Amino acid sequence: MTLSLYQTLLGAEYARLPPEQARFHALQGRHEFLGAAQVTCGRHPLARLVAVLMGLPRRDAQVPLRFELRVTAASETWVRHFGPQCMTSVLRHRDGWLVERMGLIVVHSRLQVEADCLKMHIVRARLLGLIPLPLWLMPQVRADETASGGRIFFDIQVVWAWLGLLVAYRGFLDVHALMEARD
């Protein structure tokens, strides 16, 4: 059996994930999940432009969330439908890093399990995957994921020191079916 992207990157730490997260991050093929999210967007005009370039949501909303997951041997594609807004990420691993393309930006992150929370720490970013962004230009991202009761909870915040908030979104995905499928 081939290890998933998250199993590969987390190694032994993967076993510390709650069952909902472990099953979710081990999925292969195509899946769809429903949930809800609260989206808060930055107000600065340049923050809104950066959000467009990164493919981030651009309107504040409390919305239903539809999450499409497409997993292949080479990558995972995450398509988040925040009501009418859509945000797509393509994730791969390279040299021990999670590499995520969002719009015109590619970020390299380190994954870590702290207590029962999966955390993502961005270590570098590139425009178009080619042009390195200096540390002072990189956004600060807080990305936390937890799970319980058949739900995966997420809390993401992207802030640029010189522009302020780009976007924050928090909510949940209902993954009860994953839990029932193996019980």
Side-chain angles (χ1 to χ4, degrees):
M1 179 177 170
T2 304
L3 294 179
S4 73
L5 175 67
Y6 280 73
Q7 288 168 323
T8 299
L9 290 170
L10 286 168
E13 280 192 83
Y14 193 84
R16 294 177 41 212
L17 292 175
E20 294 91 341
Q21 281 174 289
R23 290 180 184 171
F24 176 81
H25 288 298
L27 289 171
Q28 301 290 318
R30 300 174 74 97
H31 303 272
E32 186 173 299
F33 299 95
L34 300 176
Q38 172 68 49
V39 178
T40 305
C41 298
R43 301 287 177 242
H44 193 285
L46 286 176
R48 291 180 183 267
L49 175 63
V50 171
V52 168
L53 294 175
M54 290 180 70
L56 301 173
R58 295 175 299 282
R59 288 186 301 280
D60 291 356
Q62 173 107 20
V63 293
L65 172 64
R66 184 169 57 93
F67 182 92
E68 297 174 45
L69 174 66
R70 295 188 298 262
V71 180
T72 68
S75 67
E76 291 189 11
T77 301
W78 292 17
V79 183
R80 304 159 193 87
H81 298 272
F82 296 102
Q85 301 179 81
C86 183
M87 176 181 161
T88 301
S89 297
V90 178
L91 297 85
R92 293 181 168 78
H93 69 85
R94 185 176 308 128
D95 301 325
W97 302 105
L98 176 68
V99 179
E100 181 175 8
R101 177 178 290 279
M102 296 176 293
L104 299 177
I105 303 292
V106 176
V107 296
H108 290 70
S109 303
R110 178 176 44 87
L111 297 175
Q112 184 175 9
V113 179
E114 295 178 13
D116 65 346
C117 185
L118 175 60
K119 294 182 173 283
M120 183 180 76
H121 304 281
I122 292 182
V123 294
R124 78 176 175 209
R126 294 179 178 266
L127 181 62
L128 301 171
L130 302 170
I131 303 165
L133 295 173
L135 288 177
W136 64 272
L137 271 182
M138 282 180 41
Q140 298 300 308
V141 176
R142 188 192 76 235
D144 297 341
E145 180 186 284
T146 58
S148 68
R151 287 184 168 175
I152 293 178
F153 299 91
F154 53 87
D155 187 357
I156 314 296
Q157 185 175 45
V158 183
V159 176
W160 242 322
W162 48 283
L163 286 181
L165 179 70
L166 294 180
V167 70
Y169 57 95
R170 64 185 336 186
F172 70 90
L173 290 176
D174 182 350
V175 295
H176 280 97
L178 290 178
M179 303 309 291
E180 294 166 2
R182 297 210 182 173
D183 291 340

